[in-house]
Amino acid sequence: MAKKGTPKNGKNKAKHTKLLKQKKEKLRKEKEARAAKLKAIINASKSDKE
């Protein structure tokens, strides 16, 4: 039979999941920013060549 009350490590799991989500979101945004920066550099170099 299941125990009543709060799960033993429910808060820790939720906190950990939240932190991992923040970390992944930060990495994704940094990757997008880096790609945009590179794209701008490439476009600038292409316009200089013309």
Side-chain angles (χ1 to χ4, degrees):
M1 191 159 197
K3 293 182 181 178
K4 293 182 182 177
T6 58
K8 187 175 180 183
N9 61 348
K11 289 182 184 176
N12 283 343
K13 280 186 180 178
K15 199 173 193 179
H16 184 70
T17 303
K18 180 183 173 187
L19 289 174
L20 282 180
K21 186 177 175 187
Q22 286 177 349
K23 183 179 178 182
K24 285 184 180 181
E25 187 71 19
K26 182 181 176 186
L27 289 173
R28 189 179 63 78
K29 284 185 179 182
E30 286 176 354
K31 187 175 180 182
E32 287 177 358
R34 196 175 294 120
K37 216 182 278 186
L38 285 173
K39 201 173 273 190
I41 292 170
I42 291 170
N43 287 337
S45 70
K46 282 183 180 177
S47 66
D48 288 343
K49 288 181 182 178
E50 291 176 354

